[in-house]
Amino acid sequence: PPPLTCADLAGRTQTDSCGQDADPSDCDSYFKWKGSGVAKLCYGPVDGKTTCSSTTIEGCEAPTAAPTSAPTVAPTAALSCGDGGDCTCADLAGRTEVAKCKKADTDDCAASFAWKDESSGLARLCYGPVDGETKCSQTEVEGCLPPPSPPPPLPPPSPPPSPPPPSPPPPMPPPLPPPSSPPSASPSPPVTAAPTFAPTAAPTAAPSLLFSPSPPPPS
């Protein structure tokens, strides 16, 4: 056996028998406590054996039992309403109303619900299909209000406004008339000089040299 001492107890796991209970693939991890400072340390397997062997050592302190940790259990994820977990009225949001859950689309059971009594707020939420079933299952919730209507689909975006047609070219101005020549001055009629007449002198009576008789004096 290899030279083993009490110090080699550290880190080993206590077992009832090195040859029967210890793991042959890891013999050096086990020991058997016999009491009164006597322990058997496991080792091996030695040639030709398939189980662990042991060697006895004395004068050891009783080993402190290693705290055994409880196996860690992975927390179970809470089932959602769509998987058959607890459902509330809030789970109505976004679901589509159907006549019965068994008639809902089995590819998406959790997207549907059915009213059992809408006036009293009793609804059935669909889920599943569960193992072995080919149709959706259902669970009931109470005190619910009708789910809000989904918003109407947005209208398709309007096409961009078409550009206005090009403006027709402005009408061409009418052609200008040819420049008119200045009116020619009509020839003035020749000025005819008025005939001049020499003044005619009135004939002067020649003075009479004869004396007229004086009238007779009154008588």
Side-chain angles (χ1 to χ4, degrees):
L4 297 174
T5 65
C6 292
D8 293 306
L9 281 174
R12 292 185 178 230
T13 301
Q14 185 173 351
T15 183
D16 291 335
S17 171
C18 287
Q20 295 180 4
D21 299 328
D23 183 0
S25 64
D26 196 11
C27 295
D28 294 340
S29 296
Y30 296 91
F31 77 99
K32 178 181 178 182
W33 182 251
K34 296 189 68 173
S36 302
V38 179
K40 286 186 175 182
L41 298 183
C42 308
Y43 67 94
V46 295
D47 295 340
K49 290 190 175 183
T50 57
T51 59
C52 299
S53 299
S54 64
T55 182
T56 302
I57 56 175
E58 299 178 353
C60 301
E61 295 182 0
T64 303
T68 56
S69 57
T72 303
V73 179
T76 304
L79 292 177
S80 65
C81 177
D83 295 326
D86 292 336
C87 295
T88 64
C89 292
D91 295 303
L92 279 177
R95 293 183 178 235
T96 303
E97 184 178 355
V98 294
K100 293 181 179 180
C101 285
K102 290 185 178 181
K103 294 185 178 181
D105 182 4
T106 53
D107 292 334
D108 197 6
C109 295
S112 304
F113 81 99
W115 283 113
K116 182 177 181 181
D117 187 355
E118 184 174 357
S119 61
S120 61
L122 184 58
R124 291 171 172 169
L125 300 182
C126 310
Y127 68 93
V130 296
D131 294 340
E133 295 287 340
T134 58
K135 295 181 180 181
C136 299
S137 300
Q138 65 188 26
T139 182
E140 294 184 359
V141 289
E142 299 178 354
C144 301
L145 297 175
S149 301
L154 295 176
S158 56
S162 56
S167 302
M172 298 294 293
L176 296 175
S180 57
S181 58
S184 58
S186 56
S188 300
V191 179
T192 305
T196 56
F197 300 95
T200 304
T204 305
S208 177
L209 298 179
L210 300 176
F211 293 102
S212 62
S214 301
S219 55

